[in-house]
Short mmCIF file of all heavy atoms in Angstrom, two decimals:
data_model
loop_
_atom_site.label_atom_id
_atom_site.label_comp_id
_atom_site.label_asym_id
_atom_site.label_seq_id
_atom_site.Cartn_x
_atom_site.Cartn_y
_atom_site.Cartn_z
N LYS N 2 -6.52 -13.37 28.97
CA LYS N 2 -5.16 -13.65 29.31
C LYS N 2 -4.29 -13.29 28.10
O LYS N 2 -4.43 -13.97 27.06
CB LYS N 2 -4.96 -15.08 29.74
CG LYS N 2 -3.56 -15.37 30.25
CD LYS N 2 -3.56 -16.84 30.81
CE LYS N 2 -2.20 -17.19 31.37
NZ LYS N 2 -2.16 -18.58 31.87
N LEU N 57 10.37 -20.86 26.92
CA LEU N 57 9.53 -22.00 27.21
C LEU N 57 9.63 -22.43 28.69
O LEU N 57 8.67 -22.77 29.34
CB LEU N 57 9.91 -23.23 26.29
CG LEU N 57 9.57 -23.03 24.81
CD1 LEU N 57 10.17 -24.20 24.03
CD2 LEU N 57 8.08 -23.02 24.65
N ARG N 58 10.80 -22.30 29.27
CA ARG N 58 10.95 -22.58 30.70
C ARG N 58 10.17 -21.63 31.53
O ARG N 58 9.48 -22.05 32.48
CB ARG N 58 12.48 -22.54 31.07
CG ARG N 58 12.69 -22.99 32.52
CD ARG N 58 14.14 -22.74 32.92
NE ARG N 58 14.47 -21.34 33.13
CZ ARG N 58 14.13 -20.68 34.25
NH1 ARG N 58 13.49 -21.32 35.24
NH2 ARG N 58 14.47 -19.40 34.34
N LEU N 59 10.27 -20.31 31.23
CA LEU N 59 9.58 -19.31 32.02
C LEU N 59 8.04 -19.33 31.85
O LEU N 59 7.34 -19.05 32.78
CB LEU N 59 10.15 -17.95 31.66
CG LEU N 59 11.60 -17.68 32.09
CD1 LEU N 59 12.08 -16.38 31.51
CD2 LEU N 59 11.71 -17.65 33.66
N LEU N 60 7.58 -19.65 30.67
CA LEU N 60 6.13 -19.65 30.42
C LEU N 60 5.48 -20.95 30.84
O LEU N 60 4.28 -21.03 31.07
CB LEU N 60 5.82 -19.35 28.96
CG LEU N 60 6.17 -17.97 28.43
CD1 LEU N 60 5.75 -17.80 26.98
CD2 LEU N 60 5.51 -16.89 29.28
N GLY N 61 6.32 -22.02 30.90
CA GLY N 61 5.75 -23.33 31.25
C GLY N 61 4.62 -23.74 30.39
O GLY N 61 4.72 -23.68 29.13
N ASP N 62 3.55 -24.18 30.97
CA ASP N 62 2.40 -24.68 30.19
C ASP N 62 1.33 -23.60 30.00
O ASP N 62 0.21 -23.96 29.64
CB ASP N 62 1.76 -25.91 30.89
CG ASP N 62 2.73 -27.10 30.94
OD1 ASP N 62 3.54 -27.20 30.00
OD2 ASP N 62 2.66 -27.85 31.92
N GLU N 63 1.65 -22.36 30.24
CA GLU N 63 0.62 -21.27 30.15
C GLU N 63 0.01 -21.23 28.77
O GLU N 63 0.74 -21.37 27.72
CB GLU N 63 1.27 -19.94 30.46
CG GLU N 63 1.83 -19.79 31.88
CD GLU N 63 0.77 -19.81 32.93
OE1 GLU N 63 -0.43 -19.60 32.59
OE2 GLU N 63 1.11 -19.99 34.13
N GLN N 64 -1.27 -21.03 28.70
CA GLN N 64 -2.04 -20.81 27.48
C GLN N 64 -2.61 -19.39 27.49
O GLN N 64 -2.84 -18.82 28.57
CB GLN N 64 -3.19 -21.80 27.41
CG GLN N 64 -2.82 -23.25 27.30
CD GLN N 64 -2.34 -23.68 25.95
OE1 GLN N 64 -2.87 -23.28 24.93
NE2 GLN N 64 -1.32 -24.51 25.91
N PHE N 65 -2.73 -18.80 26.26
CA PHE N 65 -3.12 -17.39 26.18
C PHE N 65 -4.29 -17.24 25.27
O PHE N 65 -4.45 -17.96 24.25
CB PHE N 65 -1.94 -16.53 25.73
CG PHE N 65 -0.76 -16.57 26.67
CD1 PHE N 65 0.27 -17.46 26.47
CD2 PHE N 65 -0.73 -15.70 27.77
CE1 PHE N 65 1.34 -17.44 27.35
CE2 PHE N 65 0.34 -15.67 28.65
CZ PHE N 65 1.41 -16.62 28.45
N ARG N 89 -0.86 -22.79 21.59
CA ARG N 89 -0.96 -22.22 22.95
C ARG N 89 -1.55 -20.85 23.00
O ARG N 89 -1.54 -20.20 24.07
CB ARG N 89 0.38 -22.35 23.66
CG ARG N 89 1.47 -21.52 23.15
CD ARG N 89 2.77 -21.81 23.83
NE ARG N 89 2.71 -21.53 25.19
CZ ARG N 89 3.66 -21.97 26.12
NH1 ARG N 89 4.65 -22.78 25.72
NH2 ARG N 89 3.57 -21.73 27.36
#
Side-chain angles (χ1 to χ4, degrees):
K2 187 174 181 180
L57 290 172
R58 186 187 72 81
L59 291 171
L60 294 182
D62 296 328
E63 298 290 345
Q64 298 281 321
F65 297 94
R89 62 189 299 164

